[in-house]
Amino acid sequence: MMPQRVLKVNYFAFFDTSFVFYLQWKIFSHSLQPFSRNSDCFGLFLQRFIYLFATLKTNDQNILIIMHHSSFILRILVCVTAFACFSFPSFSQDKNNIDRCTVTVADQQNAPIPGASVIIDGTTVGAYTDSQGRCYLENVPQNATLSISCLGYSDKRIGVQGQTMVSVKLETSNEYLDELVVIGYGTQRKRDLTGSVAKVKGETLTQTTTFSGASALQGRVSGVRVIQNDGRPGGEINVVIRGSNSLKGSNAPLWIINGFPGTINIVNPEDIESIEVLKDASATAIYGSRGANGVILVTTKSAKDGKIEVEYNGSVGIQSLIKKVEMCDANEYMEYLNAKAVVNGTPEVFSPEQIAANRTNTDWQDEVFKSAPITSNSISIRGGNNKIQSALSASYFDQEGIIRPSDYRRLNIGADIKYNVRDWLQVFSNIMVSRSDQNLMSSTTGSRASSVTSASLLLPPTATPYNEDGSYSNFTDQPATGMNPIAYLKEHSGKFYTDRTRTTAGITLKPLEGLTIQFSGNIAHSSSRTNNYTSRNYTESSIGSAAISLSEIRDIQSNNIITYDRNLGEKHHITLMGGMTYETDTTMGVSTGTSTGFISDVFNVFDLEAAENKGLPGSSYSNWKIISFLGRINYNYDNRFLLTASWRADGSSRFSRGHKWGYFPSMALAWRISQEDFMKSIGWISELKVRVGYGKTGSTAVAAYSSLRNLETRTTVFNKEVSVCYTTPDAYNGNLKWETTSQSDAGIDAAFFDHRLRMTADVYYKKTTDLLCDVDFPRSSGYTTGLMNIGSVQNKGFELQVDGTILDGPVKWDAGFNFSLNRSKVLSLANHKDVFRNANLDNLVLNDRLNIMREGEPMFSFYGYLEDGYDENGYIKYKDLNEDGNLNTDDKTIIGNPNPDFLLNFNTSVSWKNLTLSAFFQGVFGNDLYSMSLASLAYDYAENHNVLKDLIGNWWTKDNPDAKYPNLWTNETYKMSDRWVVDGTYLRLKNLELSYSIPVKNKNIKKAVVYLSGQNILTFTNYPLWDPDVNVKGGASSLVQGVDDNGYPSAKTYSVGCRIKF
Amino acid sequence: MKTNNIISAAIAFLVSLSAVSCGDWEILEEKPYSLAQETFLKGPDEVQGMIDGCYSQLRRSVCFNRYIPILAESLSDYCYGRGNWESSYQTGISSSAVAYARDTWAVLYRAVRYVNTVMAQIDDVDLTPTEYSELTGEARFIRAFSYSYLVKLYGGVPFFDENDTPWAQKPRSSAEDLWKYIAAEAAYAAENLPNKAKQAGRPDKTAGYALLTEANLYLKNYQAAADAARTAIGLGDHSLLEMSVADDYEKLYGANVVTTPEEVFYFKFCRQNTNTMDYYFLCSPNPINKTTGTVAIYTDYKNNNVIAGWDKNDLRYQYSLYEPKTNKLLNAKTKTGMICIKYRDREATGSTAASDVPAIRYADILLYYAEAQAKAKGAPDASCIDAVNQIHRRAYGQPTKAEWKGDYKLSDYPTVDSFMEMLLKEKVYEQCFEVGKRYFDLKRLGLLAEYAVRAGRVSDVSEVKDAAYWWPIPTNEFLYNSALDENKDQNPGY
């Protein structure tokens, strides 16, 4: 068989000199550059060109791309060598084929479109239209379908139907509308969306160096609040979309990794192609019982057709404490204690001689916090041909914490492969493996130097970490004791290892035009292990203490989806999707218990038999299953009216018999007003679409076995020996069923001035009913709670995202902002009674319930006493709100709201020549924080720990009766009051980056960018302590939100890095 | 070929659907590896396993291994709480302790609920008559014992037994009714429990009579109390340990003691399952294990008349108390402070110790007997004096049964009042730092204020306010129990 021909590509028609020049520049630098002409169109063209480049190279031995130069500079030839191993598919003469087919491409106004690509479907044969909008194809099958595409126009497919002349009309389009967006069980063009879906590209996420795609999402999407519990490496990140719905269950969104539910922690942020956030119910209802909190779809960079591309990204940075809290120095501390002793009539703590003689002034924050490196390296390789495509990636992320030895290290390896076995059959597989090693350093929160973070503030500055003989101080000679943080950090290790794998495989069948059947399965496995060891040196009485716990999660899922996509006549387009999915998840745990009494530290946790006192082992098992049936219709009328309707039925093992099934419908409509004739004359409006949608989603909310009354195994002691016993659960269980959230959404997508200004706005209303709720029983019943479906909450809000290009000349300036506003309200609760978390918040200074769910109030409101100045002795007085003369719980009221008034984030980037300066600000406005930290740092007079410098000279005295702080009574007992409600507003320069795109001459290097960046380098806030971005008691299913309690603080980072593409 | 593809795909799809759709969704039934309450109780071992659940609650730190021993005792005459444990005769327990008291309430009621659950089902269990009587005896003893502490700490409380539904909302019963109930249940337990418990840590017949004695004392049925105590002593299943030097008391209180004849009903702890009470008694440095301790409760050898007046030759003084000089936590309160080192555990680490909590000792029964008999007869008799003397003798290293020159003489205590005065003094020395025994005695006898003055804690009885007598009913009980009104039903002073 002979090689048939060389595909000639003629670009004469619309490449002038400058273009070729820019072209090279663009390909090699891929940076934003000033263009002499319409830049959007130009950028798009380039993208297409690169795409074409890749496509052509895979299918032919040598392709000559001839570029024409019309002026006196001679034609520039760009010769590209493709892989020799790919042979051109044979294409012999066939008498059923048309010898020569002429294709004419024009726009709606019948003006010819030059440069459009015309390809025969299922082959790689194609051509580009000339200046007359014409091209010629040879040897075309009678029944062939042609795909026509051109930059700035929508793609079109048309059957040849034996004709030798084919003319095609293309509709104008643009990048923003044609961009593909991943939705549940499919993809859609952005312009066809009917729901509220936001897309974030991978390159945006990797601007900040972070271990998690979830934390990289902070501030990037309107309506999405990302809150870290604290700043430890690998710490918990919570994502809340459009407010919290659930009291009992998780408020975390469902993460879908490449089509299957999973954890974002397995994914290296550098591998993310895009993240799509499904916000409204019409988008999430297809995920049924798990869609109530929104769905985040993560798509990783997959195998692709084209020349092999290698990409390397690396960065190294240094982190340090954002700011120090100003505590008293030794002299201030000693004088404060003596002043306090005078107030209380107790013996003085330090004599004047001792004060004079003291030479010790330890800054415990300096002892505990150190600057720490963070590095990230990732490399990926992708390429393939029309038969087989593959991708491999590997990355290593290494972050040391600013409190050593806390750290987080992760190694990721990923592989993606696709076989196009036949033109109707594709087989694919995606494998992800990640290993993370973490030193947890979980000693945080609390008061009285009971944890490392608390000790770093509260230990006496007159104390030192070490005694003179080099042993650790235990502070018994000090006025206040506590843990020795240095001893803890050096002598205690808490290692947490996790191995995760995720293997997806599937086949896609396309037996008929428009019909796609996909069967895919996913096996996810995660095993983690915690090794805790406290050495014999920790304190004088330490004898060595070791414990191991193991946990394994085994998960299997399958998706079976049929999609049928078809045009019905000229104006009707319909897509039907139906399927069935199944998931089962098993968690098994083993723990060894804590063994103590080792003769040497050499064993660490690896010889528990050597312990004198053996720990008690434990083990656990839990399994849940979910079966679902789903279906969706997308109907598009004339690209003007769009309709989506979906339905899902979920059966979950977690609910009581008879309540296992839930049904979740949705419907949405969109009208692209800009497609109407009457709008076409308004030139400055490029796109205008209105959307409305409604749907129901659910939340399983409860853990497996919640509907059963299983006995719990406990232990007691007889004869000085441990004995096993059984108890019935403290929670009384009624019949449990689904929690259901219904949501309405209305939105507008618009673009103006040729898409230079783009905006999306949405309003929504969400209501959750059958709220699963722990109803408090009187404790005299012996139960604490009963789990019941009772109550409802609502969330309503507004979101706005605006992006635009402000300058588009030699200096290019892009800017955008997003704004989110959400208001939550508890509508009804069981017996109209308030709901609290079971356990009190207790830091020994304050001990009470804080967050309240009360009918008519925002969720998680702070509840407590109002202060009323000081009494004649400088004790705090509280308001007797019901004026009954007693101060009791009836006098408590709402004292704060941890929910922000609004979130506002903005980003901007300015580029000039090869330099780009970009900044990203993230802001949370109007939320209250409850600072238990402040109570422990400035009010704990019952103990003699160090205090905030601010206290000095600011406590109550007869001469200063309106002082900021009360008198220094050791017997003052504080109530949870408004004193510790502080403004949590902050605006943070999350990232500032200056990058330089090196103009590479070497043709082996396509792109090379180096950058300097700073993260968290500037924070505007009134919060006086470490960090306002804190939520130490938070968590996706925590009822305690907005509390700071000496959590692990965030770090600021300066880093340098490079992004290179070969 | 394409038609075949479609057919095979469709078949595969239908098969996958039908594979899960058959069998009435049995796949969604949960099969945990655990026991369900409804099907568990089959034989004696299961019943025992569920009764034992009560101990797992009562022995928690929120109950008998920290909160009760420390908080209750901190309102007695001879000792002081510190920090969150600092109680006052004016305002009662501290606000932090109010939160602790809430948990104690919940845990005591939880033990009651476990017994109620067992009692509701036990008639359907296949048991021999002996098994039935021993198991119900033990269960009902624990329930009555839990109620006895609820009444002692909170006064009249809501009453639940196996006839109540879990979601019932009940008002406070009177203390008297509850003591009558406790007496009846204790009598049943005394009748049905074995003479010797299977294991140390469970009640036996003696324990049943001890609880019956106490209930009758509260009900002022002195004759019945004396009879019950006499019966308990007469069983002969328990006796006092003999001591000759102070450290001999370690045979009684030491952390490594498995059991003793003196032990009647203790909450047991061991190295793998420890108590935290000791840590809160101690401070660092101490002579036991140097570093352990946070001194939540302490006493004072100079400023407290009870301790100041204690004979330094008393072995119990030597054994139980220690004067730490360098601990600044304590020194910031008083330079003449002492801590309790009674439950010494030299191997304790951190906040954990293996010492038991002596809820009922044989010595307690003897001392209760002395009181009950004296009051029943209107005057002490020889048996009363002998009961006290047995304990007094051993405190000076003498044999408990042999007469000694230092014995109390009946002639010196002709009246109940003079006898009670002596008895209370002996009791505080014998029972200091033991599960609130002193505080409950002073309250029961109406002497809390008077003894506070005597000890030098307050200058006048009027300074001892209502809050000193009771722990507050937890606020969450008012929140969730519609049968109670905080303004009417809260204990006075809170």
Side-chain angles (χ1 to χ4, degrees), chain A residues 121-247:
Chain A
D121 264 13
T123 75
T124 49
V125 179
Y128 284 83
T129 54
D130 60 17
S131 57
Q132 307 304 309
R134 226 173 286 151
C135 70
Y136 311 98
L137 297 169
E138 290 169 19
N139 203 10
V140 180
Q142 299 262 6
N143 61 350
T145 304
L146 302 179
S147 286
I148 298 100
S149 57
C150 181
L151 159 86
Y153 298 92
S154 313
D155 292 354
K156 192 145 188 179
R157 296 168 81 230
I158 190 164
V160 175
Q161 295 170 325
Q163 301 169 81
T164 54
M165 296 285 288
V166 177
S167 58
V168 186
K169 276 190 182 173
L170 294 186
E171 282 177 41
T172 49
S173 160
N174 73 62
E175 175 190 22
Y176 303 107
L177 300 179
D178 275 351
E179 189 177 9
L180 281 181
V181 174
V182 183
I183 57 169
Y185 308 99
T187 56
Q188 239 178 354
R189 285 182 305 191
K190 194 162 183 176
R191 62 172 173 182
D192 294 339
L193 286 175
T194 52
S196 178
V197 179
K199 175 168 180 164
V200 185
K201 289 189 180 143
E203 60 253 37
T204 312
L205 297 170
T206 49
Q207 277 180 10
T208 46
T209 312
T210 169
F211 75 101
S212 164
S215 86
L217 208 54
Q218 189 177 42
R220 299 297 183 178
V221 181
S222 64
V224 177
R225 187 174 181 209
V226 178
I227 322 149
Q228 58 174 5
N229 280 11
D230 61 15
R232 86 185 67 216
E236 189 176 345
I237 310 286
N238 286 298
V239 179
V240 179
I241 299 176
R242 292 186 168 180
S244 301
N245 308 317
S246 187
L247 304 186

Side-chain angles (χ1 to χ4, degrees), chain A residues 606-653:
Chain A
F606 300 105
D607 193 359
L608 295 180
E609 305 92 300
E612 196 179 327
N613 314 302
K614 308 286 191 292
L616 286 174
S619 62
S620 64
Y621 172 89
S622 152
N623 169 277
W624 54 262
K625 298 182 182 74
I626 186 163
I627 296 173
S628 315
F629 297 92
L630 46 108
R632 181 172 58 210
I633 300 172
N634 292 91
Y635 170 66
N636 176 341
Y637 175 72
D638 197 23
N639 283 323
R640 287 188 287 147
F641 295 100
L642 305 159
L643 177 140
T644 305
S646 73
W647 185 82
R648 176 158 171 151
D650 274 344
S652 167
S653 62

